[in-house]
Amino acid sequence: MNARRKFRREGEERRRQDLIDATLDSVAEYGLQGATLRTIALRAGVTAGLIRHYFPGKEELLQEAYTALVGRMTEQAKAALVMEDASPRQRLAAFVTANLNAPIIDQRVFSLWATFLGRANADPTLARAHREGYLGFRNEVEAVVAEVLAAERRKPDAGKLRHHAIAINAIIDGLWIEGCLAAEMFSPGELAAIGVKAIEAELGLAPEKGGNQ
Amino acid sequence: MNARRKFRREGEERRRQDLIDATLDSVAEYGLQGATLRTIALRAGVTAGLIRHYFPGKEELLQEAYTALVGRMTEQAKAALVMEDASPRQRLAAFVTANLNAPIIDQRVFSLWATFLGRANADPTLARAHREGYLGFRNEVEAVVAEVLAAERRKPDAGKLRHHAIAINAIIDGLWIEGCLAAEMFSPGELAAIGVKAIEAELGLAPEKGGNQ
DNA sequence: AGGCTATTTATACACTTGCGCAACAAGGCC
DNA sequence: GGCCTTGTTGCGCAAGTGTATAAATAGCCT
């Protein structure tokens, strides 16, 4: 009567990715408590038992999922920096703009970010994954800032440069959060405009010539 | 043999507060999944059944706990604004400094903030509690900014004012997060100094004369 | 002192959870 | 085609969950 369920064998890498994606989906939708092995398996189109074939336990699956998330986030964010034939200042502005619009401004990603980060002080593995992503991001910012200031013939010392990077990182993070949590409170491009202006003020750049007052 | 446990009757308000505090402690330490009724009750020094005498269910307890948390956070933050006999600019600086030092820079509070916010897009009650706290905070910022600019004989329009408030709010939030997540990466007072300078740059204020730090 | 009542404990229950394990079958190999 | 490996299913289990409810007792009122 009860026929056994049909299934397909997938390549290991493909299955692992599917399981990680299903995990992130589940966490975003139901939170850490609602992301049960059965929920995750259902979303991945397999049965719960299979998860233990690829991961030692639930905790490791969650850790790998968070690591994957951080990786994708920083990768996306940094992708906006690879512009050939652009002035440092233009690259910085493009970087900020990219980080303050879709798809980086995204409620689902924010939920994931917040959910996992809430456990960072209790789970060193999560804390490390975050720390690495954060420092990578900030170093990227610092490098662009150095280029921008160099193009203006300014030579800041290391401390000043670090402070600029910290402040700019904070501006981007803060606006990113505001945008993710309440996208409908801002008109399209508004956050990016605010961010670019705030960052240029932080760096003491003269306003771009054009019709702004 | 098995003597029944001794207990004391507490006033209703006191018990509710104790339960809410125990809930926040449990969430901060174990996360939403680890904050079970039994854990919470243990921490509050009662047995699990009692919780249902004061709250309809676990969900309502968590919601009230988050509302209480947001209330305390914004209250603390705004307390730094009540300074008599101080220039608007000094009050703004004091406000920023207060928000970027202990006890507002605090890993435990950050964990709570992130954990609850991760569920905000799925729980309208949490979202509302956050939204109200956020808007209250931003309006406070906007009011001080207006005073600061007025003292400088500048008369910004409403849109400019709003943008300043959004940017300043982002700077404070962003630095707050960096401080909570990696306090050991910054020397004491460093974040506050970065924040004050960034905000004064955003408002286009001339650097304070004199060697203040 | 003795009773009343609402706070508090204790226990039961139905359900879900992560995990272990044996059986099964998909798909490559000969 | 038939076999063998192993990816995959299905089921069971003990522990833990939120909720319901009965039994006890602390502390006020008279």
Side-chain angles (χ1 to χ4, degrees):
Chain A
M1 294 233 96
N2 260 338
R4 196 182 179 89
R5 168 178 178 165
K6 295 280 185 269
F7 62 91
R8 275 202 333 136
R9 296 186 167 203
E10 293 285 354
E12 161 157 1
E13 214 40 55
R14 169 72 188 277
R15 265 282 189 263
R16 290 178 66 87
Q17 268 311 314
D18 283 351
L19 286 173
I20 286 179
D21 286 339
T23 303
L24 292 177
D25 282 344
S26 301
V27 172
E29 190 154 352
Y30 311 110
L32 275 179
Q33 30 181 359
T36 70
L37 291 183
R38 287 165 177 84
T39 302
I40 293 169
L42 180 67
R43 194 169 290 245
V46 298
T47 54
L50 184 61
I51 293 181
R52 295 254 347 216
H53 192 73
Y54 290 98
F55 300 90
K58 192 193 181 186
E59 193 166 335
E60 287 81 2
L61 170 59
L62 287 171
Q63 287 167 353
E64 287 207 34
Y66 181 58
T67 304
L69 172 73
V70 171
R72 290 179 209 173
M73 283 176 72
T74 58
E75 184 189 1
Q76 267 192 328
K78 292 200 268 190
L81 273 174
V82 285
M83 297 168 54
E84 322 267 336
D85 310 325
S87 72
R89 184 165 172 172
Q90 285 173 324
R91 288 179 63 225
L92 176 59
F95 177 70
V96 175
T97 302
N99 275 289
L100 294 178
N101 278 294
I104 299 192
I105 294 253
D106 180 78
Q107 207 182 65
R108 175 180 170 277
V109 174
F110 175 82
S111 273
L112 289 168
W113 177 85
T115 301
F116 281 112
L117 227 43
R119 303 300 314 133
N121 68 345
D123 186 336
T125 308
L126 296 186
R128 220 179 102 258
H130 164 77
R131 175 76 52 107
E132 282 168 11
Y134 164 71
L135 283 181
F137 191 87
R138 206 181 82 186
N139 284 338
E140 213 74 28
V141 169
E142 195 167 314
V144 194
V145 168
E147 289 179 40
V148 171
L149 294 184
E152 302 259 326
R153 311 243 187 288
R154 288 163 57 188
K155 182 72 187 77
D157 60 79
K160 272 266 195 308
L161 204 55
R162 175 166 169 273
H163 279 198
H164 282 317
I166 292 171
I168 290 172
N169 189 73
I171 292 169
I172 295 175
D173 281 358
L175 291 176
W176 177 74
I177 292 171
E178 299 191 45
C180 291
L181 275 172
E184 77 286 356
M185 286 181 65
F186 308 98
S187 56
E190 186 178 19
L191 282 175
I194 295 174
V196 170
K197 272 175 68 178
I199 286 167
E200 294 186 338
E202 161 72 19
L203 293 179
L205 302 181
E208 199 83 58
K209 44 186 180 286
N212 56 344
Q213 71 248 359
Chain B
M1 289 238 97
N2 257 341
R4 196 182 178 88
R5 168 178 179 165
K6 295 280 184 268
F7 61 91
R8 272 204 335 137
R9 295 184 169 204
E10 293 284 357
E12 161 159 1
E13 213 39 56
R14 169 70 187 279
R15 262 280 131 82
R16 289 178 66 87
Q17 268 312 313
D18 283 352
L19 287 173
I20 286 179
D21 286 339
T23 303
L24 291 176
D25 282 345
S26 300
V27 172
E29 191 154 351
Y30 311 110
L32 274 180
Q33 30 182 358
T36 69
L37 291 182
R38 286 163 178 85
T39 302
I40 294 169
L42 182 67
R43 191 156 220 132
V46 297
T47 53
L50 185 61
I51 293 180
R52 294 257 338 212
H53 197 263
Y54 290 98
F55 300 90
K58 192 193 182 187
E59 194 166 334
E60 288 81 3
L61 170 60
L62 286 172
Q63 287 167 353
E64 287 206 34
Y66 181 58
T67 304
L69 172 73
V70 171
R72 289 179 209 173
M73 284 175 72
T74 58
E75 184 189 2
Q76 266 192 329
K78 292 200 265 187
L81 274 176
V82 285
M83 296 170 55
E84 323 266 336
D85 309 328
S87 71
R89 183 164 173 172
Q90 285 173 323
R91 289 178 63 224
L92 176 59
F95 177 71
V96 175
T97 303
N99 275 289
L100 294 178
N101 278 295
I104 298 190
I105 294 254
D106 180 77
Q107 207 182 67
R108 174 181 170 278
V109 173
F110 175 82
S111 274
L112 288 168
W113 177 85
T115 301
F116 281 112
L117 227 42
R119 300 303 311 132
N121 67 347
D123 186 337
T125 308
L126 295 185
R128 219 178 102 258
H130 164 77
R131 174 77 51 106
E132 280 168 13
Y134 165 71
L135 282 182
F137 190 88
R138 207 181 82 187
N139 285 337
E140 213 74 28
V141 169
E142 195 168 312
V144 195
V145 168
E147 288 178 40
V148 171
L149 295 184
E152 302 257 327
R153 310 244 188 288
R154 287 164 57 189
K155 181 72 187 79
D157 62 79
K160 273 266 197 303
L161 204 55
R162 173 166 170 273
H163 279 199
H164 282 317
I166 293 171
I168 289 172
N169 189 72
I171 293 170
I172 296 176
D173 280 359
L175 291 176
W176 177 74
I177 292 172
E178 298 191 46
C180 290
L181 276 172
E184 77 286 357
M185 286 180 65
F186 308 98
S187 57
E190 187 178 19
L191 282 176
I194 295 174
V196 170
K197 271 175 66 179
I199 285 168
E200 295 186 338
E202 161 72 18
L203 294 179
L205 302 180
E208 198 82 62
K209 43 181 176 285
N212 60 341
Q213 42 198 320

